Amino acid sequence: MGQSAFLSCRVRNLGNKTVSWIRHRDIHILSVGRNTYTSDQRFQAIHHPEYDEWTLVIKWAQLRDAGMYECQISTQPVLSYFVNLNVVVPTASIIGGPDLYVDKGSTINLTCTIRYSPEPPQYIHWYHHDEVISYNSVRGGISVITEKGEVTTSYLLIQNADLSDTGNYSCCPSNADGASVKVHVLNGERPAAMQTGSAGLSNSSMNIVALMLLCWIYSEVLERVQLNSCHHIR
């Protein structure tokens, strides 16, 4: 979103025929030859004779521009080439959010991923309490590793976590909205949010014990029934 889209159609041996671009969403004829037929100034038709290409340019692509486009040649019957345009919005997310709990003295490891970006971001800034994190601060022990690609990943490492490292952290790439996570540095506490798992484990243990007790009672009853049957036979 926000970049220019180039929809190209290569036509050989065109002769005296014309090439048109049609938007299927509203069956709107956007261009015929190099002339455009829309009030939207973002659309432009370009002809590259050396490549036999007729290109429809959509400047500052928006989400509403997504969909099927048809390159149509004025033959009888018409010849068509279809292009499906996907307009994507780059998104950033921090793995494990919205809350992360780490022990004092351990390493805070935050991972931010940027997806659906036509090209990697030029830069990624990390913030703590709305202030840019300085990797050369007096605190020390702070490093960032960024791997650019189809999915760009940025790792923020803060060694020897202290209580002052608690707070909101944000990952802000140049080409997408930022993502945030709240980090809690613990000094021996055990927050209620972290006790849910242990409570669930206790309930599960009780269920297992109850099930084993029922099985034992059932086996005892079954054994007595069998003994009674034997006495009747005798």
Side-chain angles (χ1 to χ4, degrees):
M1 187 174 69
Q3 294 190 339
S4 295
F6 297 86
L7 312 185
S8 295
C9 178
R10 180 167 293 177
V11 184
R12 301 189 186 280
N13 304 318
L14 182 61
N16 61 352
K17 306 301 180 182
T18 58
V19 176
S20 304
W21 277 100
I22 302 170
R23 182 173 57 201
H24 273 215
R25 171 167 56 85
D26 51 4
I27 316 300
H28 189 119
I29 298 177
L30 299 171
S31 68
V32 177
R34 286 182 290 184
N35 299 316
T36 55
Y37 293 91
T38 173
S39 59
D40 193 336
Q41 299 299 316
R42 298 179 305 121
F43 289 84
Q44 180 183 5
I46 300 176
H47 179 217
H48 301 280
E50 64 275 22
Y51 303 116
D52 293 326
E53 281 186 354
W54 298 81
T55 302
L56 177 68
V57 181
I58 308 175
K59 300 177 181 178
W60 299 101
Q62 303 299 312
L63 290 177
R64 68 175 184 275
D65 296 322
M68 189 69 69
Y69 291 80
E70 178 182 351
C71 170
Q72 190 180 95
I73 306 171
S74 61
T75 55
Q76 291 296 333
V78 297
L79 296 176
S80 297
Y81 176 73
F82 299 92
V83 178
N84 187 43
L85 174 63
N86 294 309
V87 180
V88 296
V89 180
T91 59
S93 61
I94 297 179
I95 298 175
D99 290 275
L100 289 176
Y101 298 87
V102 298
D103 292 324
K104 181 180 177 181
S106 62
T107 299
I108 300 174
N109 186 350
L110 302 181
T111 303
C112 177
T113 58
I114 295 88
R115 301 176 183 273
Y116 312 118
S117 175
E119 56 187 18
Q122 295 180 358
Y123 60 83
I124 300 174
H125 288 159
W126 283 92
Y127 290 81
H128 180 217
H129 292 313
D130 298 326
E131 293 184 1
V132 178
I133 296 176
S134 175
Y135 314 127
N136 299 320
S137 65
V138 178
R139 181 202 184 284
I142 301 176
S143 59
V144 170
I145 302 173
T146 299
E147 299 175 352
K148 294 186 176 182
E150 184 175 348
V151 176
T152 296
T153 305
S154 180
Y155 305 93
L156 172 65
L157 302 175
I158 303 176
Q159 299 177 6
N160 194 23
D162 198 358
L163 298 181
S164 59
D165 296 320
T166 293
N168 192 68
Y169 288 80
S170 301
C171 161
C172 298
S174 61
N175 59 349
D177 292 335
S180 299
V181 65
K182 191 166 186 179
V183 174
H184 306 266
V185 179
L186 307 177
N187 190 21
E189 308 97 331
R190 192 159 180 80
M194 297 181 65
Q195 293 176 2
T196 305
S198 60
L201 182 60
S202 298
N203 291 335
S204 300
S205 300
M206 292 177 63
N207 291 335
I208 293 173
V209 171
L211 182 60
M212 292 176 64
L213 181 60
L214 287 174
C215 290
W216 178 79
I217 294 174
Y218 177 77
S219 62
E220 287 292 318
V221 172
L222 183 61
E223 184 177 354
R224 292 188 179 185
V225 169
Q226 291 176 341
L227 287 173
N228 290 335
S229 299
C230 290
H231 288 311
H232 285 303
I233 293 173
R234 291 175 183 175

